[in-house]
Amino acid sequence: MTKSARALDCRGLTEALTVLRIKQALSVGRQVSDAPLPVLIGTDCDGTRILNALGDSAARVRYVEADGSQVTHAAPWWERADLCYDAGRLRLGGTDLDRIAGQVGTPAYVVRADRVRENVERLAAALASAGLDYRIYYAIKANRSPALLAYLRARGLCGVDVCSTRELLHVLGCGFPVELISFTGTSLSGRDIATLAGFPDLRVNLDSLSALDRLGQAGPDREVGLRINPAVGVGYQNDDRLSYSGQETTKFGIYLEHAEEAKAIAQRHGLRVTRLHFHVGCGFLDGQLDQLEAALDAADRFTGLFPELTEINVGGGLGVPHTPADKPLDLGRWAAAVARRFAGRGLAVAVEPGDYLVKDAGLILTSVTYVERRRDVLFAGLDAGFNLAMEPAFYGLPAEPVPVVPRWDEGTETYTVVGNINEALDKWAVRHRMTRLREGDRVALINSGGYAASMSSEHCLRGDAGEILLID
């Protein structure tokens, strides 16, 4: 490592004061020097946040150790034991991602199966600790990879949640028996109803009076569930686009004022309502748990109307952090909120996570196609467009670009990172600070394990991407 004898010592300062001191040093004493300013920061400071706050000046800063030796990099906010830099190379579960990209080409979806397993086990532990009789159904609309589904089935980790009859047939083909499948669809066709009627033991949750009546006619005298709408929504950063049951009337579920009508339809066809299902939104974190409490209270108002209930399905929506400002979801607090309403009442509690299980377990490997300044914007193009992961463009859920083999000794630049689709929406990040990029470099788009491959399209005929499942 290189040595520096003149490090700016910022230990003991807050991040804000560290930024101020660096700016002062750069403006007062470094105007005529191209050499980087060596900086020593405290262990409580986040080096990435400091660089982001410095803006374009960050390119003139190098972090150093107390002895003056250069720090290869400041740990990014997303880094964890199984997703981190090792010897200057990004690894997922011990796998060298640059090597994988060289073997299979880019773009490519990569998912670490054992991270999914760990997430399932963490969720199960929280539910058990809260004293709940629980069932976990993985929402396959997040990622329906046959390899991943076969992995989950072979290990008996959970059941599956499906929302269409094609998804139903897909999971049956991946080895899941009917008793491990929960179906909750919307706007069901006559063909859908006929298919569902052929599976009398399937856990079907009906989200409209029409679907309830038609299934009752096609397959009477069976147990069913009702998808209800508590009229309280919860979503990532309180974004209405991610709320399924907020103030605005939505297409999802039966409202409280229509519950008696639903009961009458069920009785007419000999249907026994043994489950209530609700899903209030997507991607919620700690900051949205107060709204979730209100949604749980609203949903609980339905339970007294259906005396044959044996199960409450609280849906999914549990989120993962997407930015440095996001505080991870406190699973214990979430499970305790559910338990306060439904534990000890003879009811099983089902949950249908998608994002929480797979999103942070996967990423998209891409290659840099060009680096070019246009006016005052430095663009970095990738060989992957928003058609391979639509949530960043449609819902504002970032898939942060991360260098696979960063050049820490060359400093950083601020990029607008774009894809290869002829649409203005095709931006992965704006004013995003990264180590310097060159054409051919590999970049990983993190938090792409969920709602990326499953929502992908052939727009501009750019949908060709590999899929890799890593098993430790």
Side-chain angles (χ1 to χ4, degrees), residues 242-267:
L242 296 166
S243 175
Y244 281 54
S245 58
Q247 184 175 359
E248 180 182 348
T249 303
T250 73
K251 69 175 184 177
F252 299 108
I254 296 169
Y255 285 84
L256 186 61
E257 53 265 42
H258 301 292
E260 289 297 334
E261 190 175 354
K263 286 177 63 177
I265 293 172
Q267 290 169 358

mmCIF file of all heavy atoms in Angstrom, residues 242-267:
data_model
loop_
_atom_site.group_PDB
_atom_site.id
_atom_site.type_symbol
_atom_site.label_atom_id
_atom_site.label_comp_id
_atom_site.label_asym_id
_atom_site.label_seq_id
_atom_site.Cartn_x
_atom_site.Cartn_y
_atom_site.Cartn_z
ATOM 1 N N LEU A 242 -47.348 1.774 -4.356
ATOM 2 C CA LEU A 242 -47.060 0.482 -3.743
ATOM 3 C C LEU A 242 -48.082 0.109 -2.677
ATOM 4 O O LEU A 242 -47.890 -0.848 -1.939
ATOM 5 C CB LEU A 242 -45.656 0.503 -3.149
ATOM 6 C CG LEU A 242 -44.536 0.665 -4.181
ATOM 7 C CD1 LEU A 242 -43.219 1.021 -3.520
ATOM 8 C CD2 LEU A 242 -44.384 -0.601 -5.005
ATOM 9 N N SER A 243 -49.159 0.866 -2.604
ATOM 10 C CA SER A 243 -50.223 0.592 -1.638
ATOM 11 C C SER A 243 -51.372 -0.123 -2.340
ATOM 12 O O SER A 243 -51.823 0.292 -3.405
ATOM 13 C CB SER A 243 -50.722 1.899 -1.016
ATOM 14 O OG SER A 243 -51.825 1.659 -0.171
ATOM 15 N N TYR A 244 -51.834 -1.217 -1.736
ATOM 16 C CA TYR A 244 -52.898 -2.012 -2.335
ATOM 17 C C TYR A 244 -54.280 -1.740 -1.752
ATOM 18 O O TYR A 244 -55.274 -2.198 -2.289
ATOM 19 C CB TYR A 244 -52.587 -3.510 -2.169
ATOM 20 C CG TYR A 244 -51.578 -4.044 -3.154
ATOM 21 C CD1 TYR A 244 -50.327 -3.463 -3.303
ATOM 22 C CD2 TYR A 244 -51.868 -5.144 -3.939
ATOM 23 C CE1 TYR A 244 -49.403 -3.955 -4.202
ATOM 24 C CE2 TYR A 244 -50.951 -5.655 -4.841
ATOM 25 C CZ TYR A 244 -49.718 -5.054 -4.971
ATOM 26 O OH TYR A 244 -48.809 -5.548 -5.875
ATOM 27 N N SER A 245 -54.330 -1.042 -0.642
ATOM 28 C CA SER A 245 -55.633 -0.870 0.021
ATOM 29 C C SER A 245 -55.678 0.434 0.802
ATOM 30 O O SER A 245 -56.070 0.459 1.962
ATOM 31 C CB SER A 245 -55.915 -2.051 0.955
ATOM 32 O OG SER A 245 -54.883 -2.183 1.921
ATOM 33 N N GLY A 246 -55.268 1.507 0.171
ATOM 34 C CA GLY A 246 -55.237 2.790 0.858
ATOM 35 C C GLY A 246 -56.554 3.532 0.781
ATOM 36 O O GLY A 246 -57.627 2.953 0.615
ATOM 37 N N GLN A 247 -56.450 4.858 0.860
ATOM 38 C CA GLN A 247 -57.643 5.694 0.873
ATOM 39 C C GLN A 247 -58.428 5.577 -0.436
ATOM 40 O O GLN A 247 -59.654 5.560 -0.447
ATOM 41 C CB GLN A 247 -57.241 7.147 1.128
ATOM 42 C CG GLN A 247 -58.423 8.099 1.268
ATOM 43 C CD GLN A 247 -57.971 9.497 1.634
ATOM 44 O OE1 GLN A 247 -56.782 9.756 1.795
ATOM 45 N NE2 GLN A 247 -58.923 10.400 1.778
ATOM 46 N N GLU A 248 -57.695 5.492 -1.542
ATOM 47 C CA GLU A 248 -58.364 5.317 -2.834
ATOM 48 C C GLU A 248 -58.903 3.896 -2.956
ATOM 49 O O GLU A 248 -58.234 2.930 -2.602
ATOM 50 C CB GLU A 248 -57.370 5.585 -3.958
ATOM 51 C CG GLU A 248 -57.967 5.433 -5.342
ATOM 52 C CD GLU A 248 -56.952 5.667 -6.447
ATOM 53 O OE1 GLU A 248 -55.850 6.168 -6.123
ATOM 54 O OE2 GLU A 248 -57.251 5.342 -7.613
ATOM 55 N N THR A 249 -60.126 3.766 -3.453
ATOM 56 C CA THR A 249 -60.727 2.454 -3.629
ATOM 57 C C THR A 249 -59.948 1.687 -4.701
ATOM 58 O O THR A 249 -59.697 2.201 -5.790
ATOM 59 C CB THR A 249 -62.198 2.583 -4.054
ATOM 60 O OG1 THR A 249 -62.900 3.351 -3.075
ATOM 61 C CG2 THR A 249 -62.843 1.218 -4.183
ATOM 62 N N THR A 250 -59.560 0.457 -4.375
ATOM 63 C CA THR A 250 -58.755 -0.344 -5.292
ATOM 64 C C THR A 250 -59.530 -1.590 -5.736
ATOM 65 O O THR A 250 -60.591 -1.918 -5.199
ATOM 66 C CB THR A 250 -57.434 -0.794 -4.633
ATOM 67 O OG1 THR A 250 -57.709 -1.817 -3.661
ATOM 68 C CG2 THR A 250 -56.730 0.369 -3.958
ATOM 69 N N LYS A 251 -58.954 -2.303 -6.699
ATOM 70 C CA LYS A 251 -59.591 -3.512 -7.235
ATOM 71 C C LYS A 251 -59.384 -4.720 -6.340
ATOM 72 O O LYS A 251 -59.943 -5.784 -6.621
ATOM 73 C CB LYS A 251 -59.039 -3.822 -8.620
ATOM 74 C CG LYS A 251 -57.578 -4.280 -8.636
ATOM 75 C CD LYS A 251 -57.142 -4.683 -10.034
ATOM 76 C CE LYS A 251 -55.730 -5.243 -10.053
ATOM 77 N NZ LYS A 251 -55.325 -5.704 -11.389
ATOM 78 N N PHE A 252 -58.579 -4.583 -5.289
ATOM 79 C CA PHE A 252 -58.172 -5.747 -4.501
ATOM 80 C C PHE A 252 -59.080 -5.972 -3.298
ATOM 81 O O PHE A 252 -59.121 -5.165 -2.375
ATOM 82 C CB PHE A 252 -56.730 -5.581 -4.024
ATOM 83 C CG PHE A 252 -55.731 -5.474 -5.137
ATOM 84 C CD1 PHE A 252 -55.118 -4.271 -5.417
ATOM 85 C CD2 PHE A 252 -55.420 -6.575 -5.916
ATOM 86 C CE1 PHE A 252 -54.203 -4.169 -6.441
ATOM 87 C CE2 PHE A 252 -54.502 -6.482 -6.952
ATOM 88 C CZ PHE A 252 -53.891 -5.267 -7.217
ATOM 89 N N GLY A 253 -59.815 -7.054 -3.295
ATOM 90 C CA GLY A 253 -60.483 -7.502 -2.080
ATOM 91 C C GLY A 253 -61.870 -6.949 -1.852
ATOM 92 O O GLY A 253 -62.344 -6.020 -2.506
ATOM 93 N N ILE A 254 -62.521 -7.543 -0.855
ATOM 94 C CA ILE A 254 -63.905 -7.235 -0.490
ATOM 95 C C ILE A 254 -63.895 -6.299 0.711
ATOM 96 O O ILE A 254 -63.281 -6.588 1.742
ATOM 97 C CB ILE A 254 -64.668 -8.533 -0.168
ATOM 98 C CG1 ILE A 254 -64.739 -9.404 -1.438
ATOM 99 C CG2 ILE A 254 -66.064 -8.235 0.368
ATOM 100 C CD1 ILE A 254 -65.223 -10.817 -1.182
ATOM 101 N N TYR A 255 -64.551 -5.165 0.582
ATOM 102 C CA TYR A 255 -64.593 -4.171 1.657
ATOM 103 C C TYR A 255 -65.591 -4.588 2.732
ATOM 104 O O TYR A 255 -66.486 -5.407 2.498
ATOM 105 C CB TYR A 255 -64.956 -2.801 1.095
ATOM 106 C CG TYR A 255 -63.812 -2.128 0.351
ATOM 107 C CD1 TYR A 255 -63.568 -2.416 -0.990
ATOM 108 C CD2 TYR A 255 -62.972 -1.224 0.992
ATOM 109 C CE1 TYR A 255 -62.522 -1.807 -1.677
ATOM 110 C CE2 TYR A 255 -61.924 -0.607 0.318
ATOM 111 C CZ TYR A 255 -61.703 -0.904 -1.013
ATOM 112 O OH TYR A 255 -60.661 -0.312 -1.686
ATOM 113 N N LEU A 256 -65.421 -3.995 3.905
ATOM 114 C CA LEU A 256 -66.240 -4.371 5.059
ATOM 115 C C LEU A 256 -67.727 -4.208 4.763
ATOM 116 O O LEU A 256 -68.551 -5.030 5.187
ATOM 117 C CB LEU A 256 -65.834 -3.527 6.273
ATOM 118 C CG LEU A 256 -66.496 -3.885 7.611
ATOM 119 C CD1 LEU A 256 -66.155 -5.324 8.012
ATOM 120 C CD2 LEU A 256 -66.054 -2.913 8.703
ATOM 121 N N GLU A 257 -68.102 -3.161 4.021
ATOM 122 C CA GLU A 257 -69.524 -2.924 3.751
ATOM 123 C C GLU A 257 -70.140 -3.971 2.824
ATOM 124 O O GLU A 257 -71.366 -4.026 2.668
ATOM 125 C CB GLU A 257 -69.749 -1.514 3.174
ATOM 126 C CG GLU A 257 -68.906 -1.180 1.985
ATOM 127 C CD GLU A 257 -67.632 -0.421 2.369
ATOM 128 O OE1 GLU A 257 -66.988 -0.791 3.374
ATOM 129 O OE2 GLU A 257 -67.282 0.528 1.644
ATOM 130 N N HIS A 258 -69.302 -4.821 2.201
ATOM 131 C CA HIS A 258 -69.814 -5.886 1.331
ATOM 132 C C HIS A 258 -69.653 -7.281 1.956
ATOM 133 O O HIS A 258 -69.938 -8.279 1.295
ATOM 134 C CB HIS A 258 -69.100 -5.858 -0.017
ATOM 135 C CG HIS A 258 -69.240 -4.558 -0.749
ATOM 136 N ND1 HIS A 258 -70.445 -4.115 -1.269
ATOM 137 C CD2 HIS A 258 -68.328 -3.588 -1.038
ATOM 138 C CE1 HIS A 258 -70.262 -2.939 -1.844
ATOM 139 N NE2 HIS A 258 -68.994 -2.589 -1.721
ATOM 140 N N ALA A 259 -69.218 -7.331 3.207
ATOM 141 C CA ALA A 259 -68.942 -8.615 3.841
ATOM 142 C C ALA A 259 -70.210 -9.455 4.008
ATOM 143 O O ALA A 259 -70.178 -10.680 3.817
ATOM 144 C CB ALA A 259 -68.265 -8.398 5.192
ATOM 145 N N GLU A 260 -71.309 -8.843 4.378
ATOM 146 C CA GLU A 260 -72.549 -9.613 4.564
ATOM 147 C C GLU A 260 -73.029 -10.207 3.244
ATOM 148 O O GLU A 260 -73.547 -11.324 3.211
ATOM 149 C CB GLU A 260 -73.633 -8.715 5.176
ATOM 150 C CG GLU A 260 -73.393 -8.342 6.636
ATOM 151 C CD GLU A 260 -73.388 -9.555 7.561
ATOM 152 O OE1 GLU A 260 -74.032 -10.563 7.212
ATOM 153 O OE2 GLU A 260 -72.754 -9.485 8.624
ATOM 154 N N GLU A 261 -72.846 -9.476 2.167
ATOM 155 C CA GLU A 261 -73.218 -10.002 0.850
ATOM 156 C C GLU A 261 -72.353 -11.208 0.501
ATOM 157 O O GLU A 261 -72.841 -12.198 -0.058
ATOM 158 C CB GLU A 261 -73.064 -8.903 -0.198
ATOM 159 C CG GLU A 261 -73.639 -9.269 -1.550
ATOM 160 C CD GLU A 261 -73.581 -8.125 -2.541
ATOM 161 O OE1 GLU A 261 -73.196 -7.001 -2.138
ATOM 162 O OE2 GLU A 261 -73.911 -8.360 -3.724
ATOM 163 N N ALA A 262 -71.061 -11.128 0.840
ATOM 164 C CA ALA A 262 -70.168 -12.260 0.593
ATOM 165 C C ALA A 262 -70.608 -13.478 1.402
ATOM 166 O O ALA A 262 -70.594 -14.613 0.892
ATOM 167 C CB ALA A 262 -68.733 -11.878 0.951
ATOM 168 N N LYS A 263 -71.018 -13.263 2.647
ATOM 169 C CA LYS A 263 -71.493 -14.371 3.482
ATOM 170 C C LYS A 263 -72.718 -15.032 2.854
ATOM 171 O O LYS A 263 -72.834 -16.261 2.833
ATOM 172 C CB LYS A 263 -71.836 -13.875 4.884
ATOM 173 C CG LYS A 263 -70.636 -13.552 5.751
ATOM 174 C CD LYS A 263 -71.049 -13.006 7.108
ATOM 175 C CE LYS A 263 -71.840 -14.028 7.917
ATOM 176 N NZ LYS A 263 -72.177 -13.521 9.274
ATOM 177 N N ALA A 264 -73.612 -14.227 2.332
ATOM 178 C CA ALA A 264 -74.832 -14.769 1.744
ATOM 179 C C ALA A 264 -74.517 -15.607 0.509
ATOM 180 O O ALA A 264 -75.104 -16.687 0.297
ATOM 181 C CB ALA A 264 -75.787 -13.630 1.390
ATOM 182 N N ILE A 265 -73.605 -15.143 -0.319
ATOM 183 C CA ILE A 265 -73.209 -15.895 -1.513
ATOM 184 C C ILE A 265 -72.586 -17.231 -1.111
ATOM 185 O O ILE A 265 -72.896 -18.286 -1.682
ATOM 186 C CB ILE A 265 -72.226 -15.072 -2.366
ATOM 187 C CG1 ILE A 265 -72.931 -13.846 -2.955
ATOM 188 C CG2 ILE A 265 -71.622 -15.937 -3.479
ATOM 189 C CD1 ILE A 265 -71.993 -12.874 -3.646
ATOM 190 N N ALA A 266 -71.703 -17.188 -0.113
ATOM 191 C CA ALA A 266 -71.050 -18.414 0.342
ATOM 192 C C ALA A 266 -72.069 -19.415 0.869
ATOM 193 O O ALA A 266 -72.014 -20.618 0.547
ATOM 194 C CB ALA A 266 -70.022 -18.077 1.421
ATOM 195 N N GLN A 267 -73.023 -18.955 1.654
ATOM 196 C CA GLN A 267 -74.035 -19.848 2.218
ATOM 197 C C GLN A 267 -74.896 -20.464 1.117
ATOM 198 O O GLN A 267 -75.279 -21.640 1.187
ATOM 199 C CB GLN A 267 -74.894 -19.078 3.213
ATOM 200 C CG GLN A 267 -74.146 -18.696 4.492
ATOM 201 C CD GLN A 267 -74.924 -17.710 5.347
ATOM 202 O OE1 GLN A 267 -76.026 -17.269 4.984
ATOM 203 N NE2 GLN A 267 -74.348 -17.336 6.489
#
